Amino acid sequence: MDTVFIEQLTVDTVIGVYDWERKIRQKLILDVEMGFDIKAAAASDDLSKALDYSAVATALTQFIESTEFKLVETLVEQSAELVLNQFAVAWVKIKLAKPGAVRGSRAVGVTIMRTAEGHGAN
Ligand SMILES: Nc1nc2c(c(=O)[nH]1)N=C([C@H](O)[C@@H](O)CO)CN2
């Protein structure tokens, strides 16, 4: 299976468990990989046959900007759900990084991989 990816997608949102975090927007950085067969797009040179990474990035950005979750786990799980429901991918892997959240670290966060089984777009 081929992979279409989005690296270092940066989104500002309300995220965090502490009171001070509920009052500010913080930067999150996402690395997204999606399982998608690119052969039809390559053979036709036609965007409509491709997985439009721009459309995925826009959908994720709009969704994440509108959320106010406490845990990065909740946000990454729902972001994976969005990709699987709205785009015809076989699987999605998302690394969600919260930079500066823990002193001494560059970033903290979670990585998940979810498959399309049982989702609408496939
Ligand atoms: N597994 C997690 N641990 C922590 C989270 C989280 O979302 N998942 N969040 C926090 C705080 O919001 C932290 O990021 C503030 O610095 C702590 N641990």
Side-chain angles (χ1 to χ4, degrees), residues 13-16 22 25 63-70:
T13 191
V14 175
I15 183 87
R22 311 306 307 162
R25 299 179 79 80
F63 170 66
I64 293 169
E65 283 179 345
S66 74
T67 62
E68 297 193 349
F69 295 118
K70 297 189 180 78

Side-chain angles (χ1 to χ4, degrees), residues 84-103:
L84 292 172
N85 284 332
Q86 294 191 14
F87 299 94
V89 302
W91 52 265
V92 61
K93 180 177 177 182
I94 303 180
K95 175 181 175 181
L96 192 161
K98 191 176 179 183
V102 171
R103 192 184 312 164

Side-chain angles (χ1 to χ4, degrees), residues 28-98:
L28 298 175
I29 301 174
L30 286 86
D31 291 320
V32 183
E33 292 177 44
M34 295 160 286
F36 186 85
D37 187 342
I38 69 158
K39 285 195 207 80
S44 61
D45 201 27
D46 180 353
L47 178 61
S48 73
K49 302 263 191 321
L51 172 61
D52 183 350
Y53 44 69
S54 175
V56 177
T58 298
L60 280 172
T61 299
Q62 288 178 351
F63 170 66
I64 293 169
E65 283 179 345
S66 74
T67 62
E68 297 193 349
F69 295 118
K70 297 189 180 78
L71 296 179
V72 292
E73 284 87 343
T74 315
L75 181 55
V76 77
E77 194 73 54
Q78 296 217 5
S79 297
E81 280 282 318
L82 178 151
V83 174
L84 292 172
N85 284 332
Q86 294 191 14
F87 299 94
V89 302
W91 52 265
V92 61
K93 180 177 177 182
I94 303 180
K95 175 181 175 181
L96 192 161
K98 191 176 179 183

